[in-house]
Amino acid sequence: MASVPHDHTHGHGHDAAHDHDHHPTGIMRWVTTTNHKDIGTMYMLFSFVMFIAGGIMALGIRAELFQPGLQVVRPELFNQLTTLHGIVMIFGAIMPAFVGFANWMLPLQLGAPDMAFARMNNWSFWLLPPAAILLISSFFVPGGAAAGGWTLYPPLSIQSGIGMDMMIFAVHIMGASSIMGSINIITTILNMRAPGMTLMKMPMFAWTWLITAFLLIATMPVLAGAVTMLLTDRHFGTTFFNAAGGGDPVMFQHIFWFFGHPEVYIIALPAFGVVSQIIPAFSRKPLFGYASMVYATASIAILSFIVWAHHMYTTGLPVAGQLYFMYATMLIAVPTGVKVFNWLATMWRGSITLETPMLFCLGFLFLFTMGGFTGLVLSLTPVDIQLHDTYYVVAHFHYVMVAGALFSAFAAVYYWGPKWTGWMYEEKLGKIHFWWSLIAFNVTFFPQHFLGLAGMPRRIPDYNQQFENWNMISSVGAFAFGLAQVFFIWVVWRMATGKSGIRAAAKPWDGAEGLEWTVPSPAPYHTFETPPVVK
């Protein structure tokens, strides 16, 4: 940092020279940058490219399932698509998107000049593109990509080809990136808040990320351990999971889901944070029950560690174990219900306006709650045993993930985008994107509940005649949903390039609160070189 304190408002005034001698220009600016805004932007661009890649895989899956019989892809490729679609969407699209929001917004929200470990921040990002290349290129090696489902269950994952090793390596790299990002976020939040900003005065987005970062540090090494054991089973003669050598494939499931269930909340909690910023802004009221929101977030995180085997009711758990996991799973509905109640109470008697960010939050609220109810259905052991590995489960987690994470990510882009780019998006186009996405999403995933209840298993390229109609509707919805995201690219491009023609004020939303709205739009390259004082 500069030795002389500079006021953040001077970014474009007498200080412009000082602002720009800090960083190289052209491609090297992006390769070597340690600026949280540049890194946040790169995370978001990367996540969007991966979102499109994962989406194309999903459309390959839905194209095959449009009719019974084998039309579009070979069964082996179908399995590779289902596996890579899951991994790419979770580790490539959703997690980096929220890390990008954290990088951009946390220093602005906390009044910090940058993230705590600026060089490590650069390294956290640049680990991701090689991992993505490993994942995507695994389609083109002999034997193709990993094909055991995104959960990588043995014995399939022990028997498959080199694509599986590429997957293991990629998971390791992305896990290292997540851990470094988390250390950075925790240190920034705990040590770099502006004077006067106590923990209980922080924006909810900062709270949800603080808790998420601890979840990541606790669970990523578990996943690394699981895939390392797979690797040694595959190449070094161990038999952790290989039943032929006395190993236990179910042990892998226990280790995997001990990571996998907290992972669901690693994705959901930052989404909750975004929604907790936007709903008060467009209701023009402070968030209802701030303290209870913080405690509910922490409760969800703690409970997420003790429910993992609800993914494993069909593996022969003892009845006492089934009962315990059933009740523990139901318990998570309590803090989640507190959050939903608080969001509704925030809107109650507020003067609500329905700009695009608010619409996406309302879509999130409705769909996420529905996904929560189907989750409650699946928590019941006898019901889950019937529905396990059917399309009911696919419908459930897409209602939680797409509606939960993706809709809130869209909301964040529309809400903070003007602060990033200095330009407003076009409201009419944003609303078209919302309604198009909402309708197409429901057309895609709602019929899958019926398919699952009728007994259609997931991860199969072919099916009986009886499932044809709902699959057809679902596939049409999927292509419509994909098209809506191409439209989104166009809307964001118009905002980013200023084609929308509407300049953003420093505080474009009159109900918005927080330090990020005290700096100009677009936010100057260096902000808060002198920390603001929070009253």
Side-chain angles (χ1 to χ4, degrees):
M1 297 311 308
S3 51
V4 191
H6 285 280
D7 187 54
H8 62 265
T9 51
H10 293 166
H12 300 299
H14 71 278
D15 225 350
H18 156 87
D19 255 12
H20 292 288
D21 52 18
H22 268 49
H23 60 83
T25 50
I27 188 93
M28 286 317 284
R29 164 179 169 182
W30 298 97
V31 173
T32 60
T33 183
T34 54
N35 183 286
H36 71 99
K37 300 178 181 81
D38 284 352
I39 293 170
T41 303
M42 291 195 299
Y43 264 110
M44 285 188 268
L45 287 172
F46 172 82
S47 101
F48 202 79
V49 170
M50 295 304 279
F51 174 55
I52 297 300
I56 290 168
M57 293 174 204
L59 294 183
I61 295 167
R62 285 314 323 168
E64 178 54 65
L65 293 173
F66 182 67
Q67 286 179 306
L70 297 174
Q71 279 87 234
V72 186
V73 295
R74 305 187 318 282
E76 308 82 72
L77 180 59
F78 184 90
N79 292 345
Q80 294 167 28
L81 287 173
T82 47
T83 302
L84 266 285
H85 164 73
I87 292 277
V88 162
M89 283 303 201
I90 289 170
F91 292 102
I94 291 178
M95 287 167 69
F98 283 108
V99 177
F101 300 153
N103 257 304
W104 241 105
M105 297 315 299
L106 286 177
L108 288 182
Q109 291 188 327
L110 301 170
D114 206 309
M115 297 294 280
F117 303 115
R119 287 167 194 266
M120 186 165 85
N121 204 11
N122 172 290
W123 182 223
S124 310
F125 171 76
W126 282 110
L127 282 174
L128 292 176
I133 292 165
L134 271 172
L135 283 177
I136 306 293
S137 59
S138 67
F139 279 110
F140 306 105
V141 299
W150 82 273
T151 51
L152 311 178
Y153 280 3
L156 285 176
S157 52
I158 294 176
Q159 295 160 356
S160 49
I162 190 175
M164 185 69 208
D165 299 312
M166 295 166 81
M167 163 79 76
I168 290 170
F169 194 25
V171 165
H172 269 298
I173 297 171
M174 292 183 292
S177 164
S178 291
I179 289 171
M180 292 198 299
S182 300
I183 291 169
N184 215 339
I185 285 168
I186 291 171
T187 312
T188 305
I189 292 175
L190 293 184
N191 294 332
M192 297 182 66
R193 301 191 305 282
M197 182 176 286
T198 60
L199 283 175
M200 291 309 271
K201 278 188 193 166
M202 288 198 311
M204 266 318 291
F205 183 67
W207 260 115
T208 53
W209 250 116
L210 178 65
I211 292 165
T212 302
F214 279 110
L215 281 180
L216 274 164
I217 288 175
T219 59
M220 274 302 170
V222 178
L223 177 66
V227 295
T228 304
M229 290 154 88
L230 273 182
L231 191 72
T232 60
D233 274 14
R234 287 167 56 80
H235 298 294
F236 301 106
T238 58
T239 52
F240 291 114
F241 310 129
N242 191 345
D248 182 4
V250 176
M251 180 168 79
F252 176 87
Q253 298 189 26
H254 279 289
I255 302 169
F256 178 88
W257 285 115
F258 190 78
F259 147 81
H261 203 80
E263 169 67 19
V264 174
Y265 294 101
I266 286 165
I267 289 169
L269 292 182
F272 294 168
V274 167
V275 172
S276 301
Q277 299 293 128
I278 296 176
I279 286 181
F282 292 96
S283 305
R284 287 152 184 86
K285 277 177 62 186
L287 180 69
F288 179 89
Y290 174 92
S292 64
M293 279 298 231
V294 172
Y295 299 134
T297 308
S299 313
I300 290 172
I302 293 160
L303 289 171
S304 75
F305 281 104
I306 59 168
V307 296
W308 76 92
H310 67 207
H311 299 267
M312 300 169 54
Y313 287 145
T314 56
T315 57
L317 289 175
V319 172
Q322 292 182 351
L323 277 171
Y324 160 74
F325 282 106
M326 180 165 97
Y327 292 134
T329 303
M330 289 175 172
L331 199 57
I332 278 203
V334 177
T336 313
V338 168
K339 285 181 148 328
V340 172
F341 170 77
N342 283 3
W343 289 321
L344 292 172
T346 303
M347 293 188 284
W348 176 250
R349 305 188 76 171
S351 59
I352 296 176
T353 51
L354 296 176
E355 285 90 342
T356 309
M358 185 64 165
L359 285 174
F360 271 106
C361 286
L362 294 174
F364 157 88
L365 212 53
F366 172 62
L367 298 171
F368 181 82
T369 306
M370 256 174 65
F373 278 126
T374 53
L376 218 46
V377 170
L378 290 168
S379 71
L380 298 158
T381 312
V383 178
D384 181 85
I385 287 170
Q386 290 299 312
L387 295 175
H388 183 80
D389 256 342
T390 68
Y391 263 79
Y392 191 89
V393 178
V394 177
H396 154 69
F397 75 72
H398 282 88
Y399 265 81
V400 178
M401 291 288 102
V402 181
L406 189 62
F407 273 40
S408 62
F410 287 148
V413 171
Y414 286 115
Y415 181 62
W416 284 319
K419 180 58 63 188
W420 302 333
T421 62
W423 296 94
M424 297 298 289
Y425 62 90
E426 288 144 294
E427 193 59 61
K428 186 175 158 196
L429 299 182
K431 288 194 161 87
I432 292 171
H433 175 227
F434 168 72
W435 288 108
W436 187 355
S437 294
L438 182 78
I439 293 163
F441 171 79
N442 282 294
V443 171
T444 307
F445 292 107
F446 201 76
Q448 295 182 6
H449 293 101
F450 305 142
L451 287 169
L453 289 166
M456 178 171 165
R458 66 200 255 206
R459 295 178 184 162
I460 52 159
D462 190 11
Y463 54 84
N464 293 344
Q465 203 76 42
Q466 73 204 52
F467 302 131
E468 182 172 17
N469 294 345
W470 287 126
N471 267 305
M472 216 168 240
I473 293 169
S474 185
S475 290
V476 169
F479 278 88
F481 189 75
L483 207 56
Q485 308 331 314
V486 177
F487 182 73
F488 172 67
I489 298 175
W490 188 64
V491 180
V492 170
W493 180 79
R494 284 182 64 83
M495 171 171 69
T497 54
K499 293 271 190 295
S500 63
I502 322 159
R503 285 218 173 266
K507 184 174 155 183
W509 317 113
D510 51 350
E513 296 293 329
L515 290 176
E516 71 258 46
W517 308 110
T518 62
V519 303
S521 301
Y525 196 72
H526 294 292
T527 39
F528 299 128
E529 300 200 344
T530 317
V533 177
V534 178
K535 296 290 186 291

